[in-house]
Amino acid sequence: MSTPSMDVYQNGNGSCCSMAELEDIDFLRPRNLNMERKGSLGERSFSEAQIGFSPYPPSRAEFDVVHSPAKWSGFTTPRSPFASDPHPMIAEAWEALRRSLVHFRGRPVGTIAALDSSDEKLNYDQVFVRDFVPSALAFLMNGEPEIVKNFILKTLRLQSWEKKIDRFQLGEGVMPASFKVLHDPVRNTETLMADFGESAIGRVAPIDSGFWWIILLRAYTKSTGDTSLSEMPECQKGMRLILSLCLSEGFDTLPTLLCADGCCMIDRRMGVYGYPIEIQALFFMALRCALLLLKHDAEGKEFIERIVKRLHALSYHMRTYFWLDLKQVNDIYRYKTEEYSHTAVNKFNVIPDSLPEWVFDFMPLHGGYFIGNVGPSNMDFRWFCLGNCIAILSCLATPEQETKIMDLIESRWDELVGEMPLKVCYPAIEGHDWRLVTGCDPKNTRWSYHNGGSWPVLLWLLTAACIKTGRPQIARRAIELAEIRLSKDGWPEYYDGKLGRFIGKQARKYQTWSIAGYLVAKMMLEDPSHVGMVALEEDKQLMKPVLKRSNSF
Ligand code: GLC
């Protein structure tokens, strides 16, 4: 691809700046990059294989020992003579992933959401920040960090745009939901278009993008040992801007982050406003990653202090009020209401009658999970996959809670995994509730899409959580299920039905994160040390006992 003479960046409001202004920190060669490969770790457990986690308070030791992506029997170009016979789907997946690459000025900067030419594009021709995460992990695990670096720097540039919806200006730190490269063959220019929520259905800003960006920056640093990227003043500032947005003081009485509906993977109205688990878990993970990445200079230190305080409050709050197991269900069932003052047990005045019928059957004897949402007189008892997996990977869940989350997945296999991993949430909302909660959304009908649909991309999160908790056999089972249909069906975005038996009503085919999620899951199973890129070690300080409401964990 030829290098355009002038590139213009443009946002949804038409405000532009020339390439000259942006010329640039981008694409600097890594200074400390050490990609020496070690032998395959084969079946070694995650705890054996993990290296370089730092104790709390944070120290730079985290990245001192380079996490070497062990030999991966890459499939387009097999690298390991020892690897077992690769599944034929892997070569196909790598080819599809490479086809999805998006270039800007001749360099790869991301992957397109879906390469489905048969369907209306909508915004599936864009690079989504959240969708790129599994692609990025696949490239990192395969020893190809450059694209990840390019993506991190390019999205950092987008963050500095002025962001407006109608006449209202968004916070400086907001990261885009997605971006797109526009080619003008006549002027020989390439233009970047980004969406911060001003074009998105529902006009919601993606709170998760900034968190994923920080998490990815840490994954890159962990994987390559190259600290020069995260230490760049621009990256440090980008992180501080994201953190400023979510650590700012306001009217909050809770340490959780107040959100609008649809500000994350579930990007439509689905009753996930308030304090949704997905955002709280990503918030926690991003704070912990930032703690490892922020420099201890004057500006960094100020943020580090705020982060440490918030992590303490947030972990206490989540572990205490979001956690649900059999004992907790029973406690809520017997709650007194209308309690006032500090001595109240039922602090949020949750009415026992609001416990849905399904919870009594769904909750196993051994098992538990973080529920969907907790707010005034409101507990959303739905199980959400992403939030619970991230809670495990970030150690938001205590070791006992981690075990119980995995126990629940095992004992509710038919409901949560069925014939195609993995339910985005459980159960679906139906009938009158569906009308009220979704606003009659025809895409989110029961057991479809965000409303109890099954999303293959979630395989990578499940696999990482399984390996971290020492239960890789659960992931293996799930992956085997996916292998029966995923490729034959053309890598759909999601499946419908109680068991995930049907290709989703409006699912795109060749959805990139379905492809990348599968590859990442396979690579982590083959070399569990890869999980270190997306998992954090338990933090002893944060584990200090909290006043427990339930003694059952
Ligand atoms: C859908 C999903 C969203 C994803 C996007 C692109 O809108 O809800 O999570 O990022 O598609 O794949």
Side-chain angles (χ1 to χ4, degrees), residues 58-302:
S59 87
R60 304 305 301 163
E62 154 90 353
F63 307 116
D64 280 355
V65 183
V66 175
H67 167 87
S68 349
K71 264 186 200 156
W72 166 240
S73 41
F75 293 83
T76 37
T77 44
R79 289 203 169 111
S80 166
F82 311 111
S84 51
D85 260 359
H87 195 287
M89 270 169 71
I90 294 175
E92 186 201 323
W94 270 114
E95 269 163 37
L97 183 61
R98 293 196 194 283
R99 270 200 305 275
S100 75
L101 283 172
V102 170
H103 291 81
F104 183 62
R105 302 174 64 209
R107 293 184 174 99
V109 289
T111 48
I112 199 170
L115 258 182
D116 187 351
S117 48
S118 65
D119 216 330
E120 200 190 345
K121 282 197 176 62
L122 294 175
N123 53 354
Y124 285 88
D125 59 350
Q126 310 218 358
V127 178
F128 278 74
V129 171
R130 70 175 76 86
D131 292 43
F132 181 66
V133 172
S135 300
L137 295 174
F139 287 118
L140 287 175
M141 289 173 190
N142 204 40
E144 298 175 72
E146 277 306 304
I147 180 178
V148 182
K149 184 177 185 170
N150 295 346
F151 171 88
I152 287 170
L153 289 170
K154 201 47 71 193
T155 41
L156 184 65
R157 284 289 165 178
L158 299 178
Q159 185 196 35
S160 64
W161 282 6
E162 183 185 273
K163 302 165 271 255
K164 263 189 183 166
I165 297 192
D166 291 336
R167 297 177 187 181
F168 186 67
Q169 192 161 329
L170 270 71
E172 229 189 311
V174 177
M175 279 284 183
S178 59
F179 66 87
K180 173 176 181 166
V181 180
L182 299 173
H183 304 273
D184 181 341
V186 179
R187 289 172 60 213
N188 192 27
T189 58
E190 287 194 338
T191 313
L192 277 191
M193 284 279 300
D195 175 23
F196 296 87
E198 74 271 35
S199 308
I201 292 166
R203 300 291 182 269
V204 184
I207 301 185
D208 63 338
S209 287
F211 297 152
W212 281 122
W213 188 87
I214 294 176
I215 292 165
L216 194 56
L217 182 58
R218 187 244 167 208
Y220 170 90
T221 313
K222 181 81 181 165
S223 155
T224 60
D226 168 24
T227 54
S228 68
L229 179 65
S230 68
E231 283 173 3
M232 276 169 46
E234 293 82 354
C235 275
Q236 293 283 314
K237 183 171 174 213
M239 255 189 293
R240 290 197 304 268
L241 285 174
I242 296 168
L243 295 167
S244 297
L245 285 176
C246 47
L247 295 174
S248 61
E249 290 175 357
F251 290 100
D252 304 312
T253 51
L254 307 174
T256 32
L257 206 60
L258 187 59
C259 304
D261 218 335
C263 64
C264 50
M265 175 187 176
I266 297 180
D267 58 1
R268 293 163 83 92
R269 185 172 156 195
M270 263 304 293
V272 286
Y273 58 90
Y275 304 95
I277 180 68
E278 173 169 343
I279 290 294
Q280 312 313 322
L282 286 171
F283 180 29
F284 182 86
M285 176 105 173
L287 288 181
R288 289 205 60 201
C289 290
L291 212 48
L292 297 163
L293 297 166
L294 280 171
K295 286 171 90 166
H296 290 222
D297 51 17
E299 285 162 307
K301 269 190 182 148
E302 188 208 315

